[in-house]
Amino acid sequence: MKRLALVKPVLVVAMLGAGSAQAAPDAASVLEASPIDDIVEQYPAMLSQGIREGLKQRGQVPPMVADTVGYVVSSSFSADKIEQQIITDLQAQLTDEQLQAVSEWYQTPVARKISSAEIAASAPEAWPQIQASAPELNRKYKGAPKAEMFDRFDRAARATESAVDTTIAVQLGLATAMSALSSESMHYEQLERRIENQRGMLRGVVGQQVYDSYLYTYDKISAQELALYLDFLESPAGKQFSQVVTSSIQQAIMEPVESIGRQISRFMAPPAGSE
């Protein structure tokens, strides 16, 4: 956001507000003002869908078993718990001034427009549309300012980093499910190391998917509006907000993965005395 354009409004607000101090917003209200809480609501369904489709594509289990595993995975993740993790970390790691700055950004018309686009694009059912429109959008924006702004966006929003973490969680959940359904079980730590070793390869594949999603999500957002968003993301408050949110989500979605195998084993075990 252009600082010079804000000088007069800021001075006016400062004069009008003199003597009437306002408390800084808490982390919960900041999260509610952002699109993050709506996006997090999609995580259990997204993770479940990713693992369920992965099992079906491998063809190593009947579709009904894959759907059962998907149900177990979905019930293992709680959007409320993920949101609470984010709120706790934001409250601990952002200053009152930073929380205020983030809250003020998300109350602007540009932020509301961008948030609506991000929420819509985060729905699991949007992914087929993103894939279908990718070739056309890649051609449309080749060499355009919006395409040239992607690297800046990716660094500021930690988009690829966050997507890789989520992909690893899905892959680890899938591997854990397969191990639980197989006679050749593997310890969780072994699975985790094996999948973490694929991080470099995943970054290349996921990076293109993130770019496709970026073009789809911000297709109706002008380059000028996107530039304002990047100004926010690159500000001290925006940078800290993005870092804390992505770290909190990673922690919250990785914690339940280890227990998925045990839950599936119990769920799929034959009833006692059935043999």
Side-chain angles (χ1 to χ4, degrees):
M1 188 173 288
K2 305 302 183 187
R3 300 297 180 190
L4 290 177
L6 287 176
V7 172
K8 288 183 180 179
V10 167
L11 288 176
V12 171
V13 170
M15 287 186 289
L16 291 175
S20 57
Q22 288 186 327
D26 61 16
S29 63
V30 170
L31 188 66
E32 185 177 358
S34 81
I36 303 301
D37 57 338
D38 294 282
I39 292 172
V40 165
E41 287 288 338
Q42 310 282 356
Y43 267 77
M46 178 182 64
L47 293 165
S48 174
Q49 179 178 315
I51 293 172
R52 185 171 60 250
E53 290 182 356
L55 287 171
K56 289 180 179 179
Q57 287 170 6
R58 293 189 179 198
Q60 294 175 302
V61 298
M64 187 176 68
V65 174
D67 288 335
T68 299
V69 172
Y71 169 78
V72 172
V73 171
S74 179
S75 62
S76 299
F77 294 92
S78 165
D80 289 341
K81 288 184 179 179
I82 298 174
E83 288 181 26
Q84 189 54 56
Q85 180 72 55
I86 297 171
I87 290 170
T88 299
D89 292 343
L90 286 175
Q91 200 67 53
Q93 299 180 46
L94 267 69
T95 65
D96 287 349
E97 290 75 15
Q98 288 173 329
L99 289 171
Q100 182 70 43
V102 173
S103 177
E104 289 175 355
W105 159 255
Y106 280 116
Q107 292 174 38
T108 65
V110 171
R112 291 196 186 102
K113 181 179 178 181
I114 290 173
S115 294
S116 295
E118 291 177 337
I119 293 168
S122 71
E125 57 269 21
W127 179 239
Q129 300 172 37
I130 294 172
Q131 290 177 303
S133 63
E136 179 186 349
L137 290 177
N138 273 260
R139 288 192 297 269
K140 175 181 176 181
Y141 288 110
K142 186 176 181 179
K146 193 173 290 186
E148 295 171 355
M149 295 164 77
F150 172 72
D151 287 341
R152 184 182 165 197
F153 164 83
D154 196 29
R155 286 192 302 270
R158 303 164 67 91
T160 298
E161 178 183 346
S162 178
V164 168
D165 287 337
T166 303
T167 301
I168 286 177
V170 171
Q171 292 287 337
L172 189 52
L174 177 59
T176 304
M178 289 300 300
S179 179
L181 295 168
S182 171
S183 58
E184 299 179 1
S185 61
M186 186 178 294
H187 290 298
Y188 176 82
E189 290 77 12
Q190 292 176 285
L191 292 171
E192 187 175 29
R193 283 196 299 271
R194 188 177 69 182
I195 292 172
E196 274 292 341
N197 288 337
Q198 300 174 12
R199 182 176 284 270
M201 179 198 70
L202 286 172
R203 182 173 291 277
V205 175
V206 172
Q208 181 60 50
Q209 294 175 347
V210 170
Y211 181 65
D212 293 341
S213 297
Y214 163 84
L215 294 181
Y216 177 88
T217 303
Y218 304 109
D219 184 33
K220 305 302 182 185
I221 305 299
S222 70
Q224 292 78 11
E225 291 169 331
L226 193 57
L228 291 175
Y229 187 29
L230 295 182
D231 286 345
F232 162 71
L233 291 175
E234 291 171 342
S235 69
K239 185 181 298 185
Q240 183 69 358
F241 179 75
S242 297
Q243 182 172 338
V244 171
V245 165
T246 53
S247 297
S248 300
I249 289 176
Q250 179 190 10
Q251 179 182 344
I253 66 176
M254 288 301 291
E255 284 179 353
V257 171
E258 185 174 0
S259 68
I260 286 175
R262 293 193 297 270
Q263 293 183 60
I264 291 172
S265 296
R266 290 196 300 269
F267 202 93
M268 302 299 293
S274 61
E275 294 182 358

